[in-house]
Amino acid sequence: MPLPEVEPDAVLIRVSLANICGSDLHFWRGDAPLRLPEDGWIFGHEMTGRVAKLGSRVKSDSLGRPLKEGDRVAYTYFYPCGRCYVCLNNEPANCPAKIERPRGPRDFPHFHGAFAEYYYLRPGGAIFLVPDALSDELVAPVNCALCQVIFGLHQAGLRFGGSVVIQGAGGLGVQAAAVAKDMGAQTVIVVDQIPNRLALAREFGADHTIDLREIADRKERVNLVRKLTGGVGADVACDFVGFPQVIPEGIEMLRSGGAYLEIGTISRGAKIELEPAQLVWGAKRIVGVIQYDPWVIPRALDFLVRNRSRWPFEKLVSHKYPLAEIDRAFADSEWKVRDTTTIARAALVP
Ligand SMILES: [Zn+2]
Ligand SMILES: [Zn+2]
């Protein structure tokens, strides 16, 4: 593709690292149905890169710090419209128009996704300088996994000294354990069925882990959470599993007045049975979160700078592939996901 003419408020970015995220695997498998353009679709969204060309009006990043070509940057990949009821309410993450239908590479500005040499940050996209202390491997998951987790716990109302149950010790789950501790959580409990993953969750700050195969009875697990939270239940419980059958159990693990954070189940059409009276009598909330408000990115970068030696973030990216081997990267990731003993993401180096 020819490099696009950069509009005055846009930024052309040379992608240095692009991760294969769980939702990319959903698209690749076809279980998140999409209408694709005839000329194909450049997808992928979890990435970092360097400024290749600044639009003529762009002089600084979204925090007002001078920006020049060659600078390492982290940035959003979705664009709240700024012209709808939700945007007017200052809720950019909730804008229903922030992600558009897939566009083909023939459409200007051609570079719509992470799995390419370039990414075109459209006018209005948030962009932030990356601290030198952070490697590309640490920064690549920031604009999807890490920001989503931070924003989710924020939206669910986790507070200093609170308690959290994390269902699913995958990439998002282990990062959520670390974020919750950094936010001041007193008790972080992680539930999964793979011992390796639970061990990694403990390395990322989990105070307690519950192995589903050791404690096979749901009632026993709920009672254990109650016991570990001083007899009251958790302030916040989160679905990072992507298997919606776990949701009712997570809601049961909440204290009265607690919040359930739903992030894991992105596939439309998946259904569960739920007893609404549990919400009413327990005064519980369910909070759905997709993406995040742009203010989260610089805070996520700061989080990594202050915690990079506290938790082993480098374990979250395992294999690197050149872009030409994208098919192998997906096949390997799929195999690993099915195998479920390892959580590390595959990364493409365009
Ligand atoms: Zn993602
Ligand atoms: Zn909007």
Side-chain angles (χ1 to χ4, degrees):
M1 299 302 302
L3 289 185
E5 190 81 27
V6 181
E7 298 158 282
D9 296 304
V11 179
L12 184 68
I13 291 159
R14 180 74 174 89
V15 178
S16 34
L17 205 60
N19 290 347
I20 296 176
C21 158
S23 48
D24 297 323
L25 286 168
H26 280 296
F27 298 135
W28 179 73
R29 257 181 235 131
D31 55 30
L34 287 171
R35 210 182 317 144
L36 293 183
E38 270 174 29
D39 56 332
W41 179 39
I42 301 175
F43 69 128
H45 53 274
E46 200 176 285
M47 61 180 146
T48 184
R50 288 174 183 273
V51 174
K53 192 157 179 30
L54 290 173
S56 59
R57 275 202 292 261
V58 184
K59 308 284 180 223
S60 65
D61 76 353
S62 298
L63 279 170
R65 297 171 298 193
L67 196 61
K68 59 180 186 329
E69 283 164 18
D71 280 342
R72 297 170 64 223
V73 284
Y75 40 93
T76 52
Y77 60 91
F78 50 89
Y79 302 87
C81 74
R83 293 188 167 270
C84 74
Y85 181 85
V86 178
C87 285
L88 194 61
N89 274 279
N90 292 324
E91 297 172 24
N94 299 344
C95 172
K98 69 182 189 287
I99 293 262
E100 57 175 17
R101 221 173 253 150
R103 279 161 62 183
R106 272 205 296 264
D107 260 20
F108 179 86
H110 317 305
F111 297 95
H112 305 293
F115 302 145
E117 291 172 290
Y118 291 88
Y119 177 74
Y120 188 91
L121 187 80
R122 287 191 244 155
I127 184 166
F128 301 92
L129 281 170
V130 166
D132 291 337
L134 301 178
S135 65
D136 288 345
E137 286 74 9
L138 256 61
V139 177
V142 163
N143 80 333
C144 175
L146 184 57
C147 281
Q148 173 105 6
V149 158
I150 293 173
F151 190 61
L153 290 172
H154 176 84
Q155 291 297 88
L158 176 62
R159 291 198 293 187
F160 182 77
S163 55
V164 188
V165 168
I166 292 164
Q167 295 173 292
L172 269 73
V174 297
Q175 291 184 80
V179 169
K181 287 314 281 186
D182 193 62
M183 283 173 83
Q186 168 69 20
T187 309
V188 174
I189 304 163
V190 179
V191 186
D192 202 294
Q193 56 182 346
I194 310 282
N196 289 352
R197 289 180 172 220
L198 290 170
L200 192 63
R202 285 191 294 273
E203 281 187 64
F204 273 84
D207 300 292
H208 308 280
T209 51
I210 298 178
D211 187 332
L212 288 165
R213 292 181 309 184
E214 265 170 36
I215 307 178
D217 180 56
R218 167 171 162 176
K219 217 179 198 162
E220 238 180 275
R221 293 193 293 268
V222 172
N223 286 338
L224 180 56
V225 166
R226 194 133 297 154
K227 208 175 107 200
L228 295 171
T229 53
V232 293
D235 294 295
V236 173
C238 330
D239 165 20
F240 292 117
V241 178
F243 181 64
Q245 279 67 24
V246 307
I247 294 171
E249 177 174 336
I251 293 173
E252 257 187 82
M253 289 170 168
L254 290 172
R255 70 163 168 88
S256 184
Y260 190 75
L261 174 61
E262 179 52 46
I263 284 183
T265 305
I266 68 157
S267 296
R268 293 182 195 272
K271 294 195 177 90
I272 50 160
E273 228 172 64
L274 189 67
E275 192 191 329
Q278 249 203 334
L279 300 176
V280 177
W281 289 97
K284 296 172 182 178
R285 294 181 296 137
I286 299 178
V287 180
V289 165
I290 182 81
Q291 283 116 15
Y292 49 86
D293 288 350
W295 60 259
V296 180
I297 291 185
R299 295 191 193 204
L301 294 168
D302 291 344
F303 160 83
L304 288 173
V305 170
R306 72 175 169 270
N307 291 307
R308 68 188 193 282
S309 52
R310 184 175 176 196
W311 293 306
F313 294 98
E314 66 284 350
K315 287 191 179 175
L316 298 176
V317 173
S318 61
H319 294 74
K320 285 194 200 168
Y321 303 79
L323 187 57
E325 285 176 38
I326 185 168
D327 287 350
R328 191 163 66 87
F330 267 81
D332 288 359
S333 301
E334 175 71 351
W335 181 81
K336 275 182 208 129
V337 167
R338 288 278 150 89
D339 176 47
T340 68
T341 50
T342 159
I343 61 151
R345 273 159 154 56
L348 292 158
V349 189

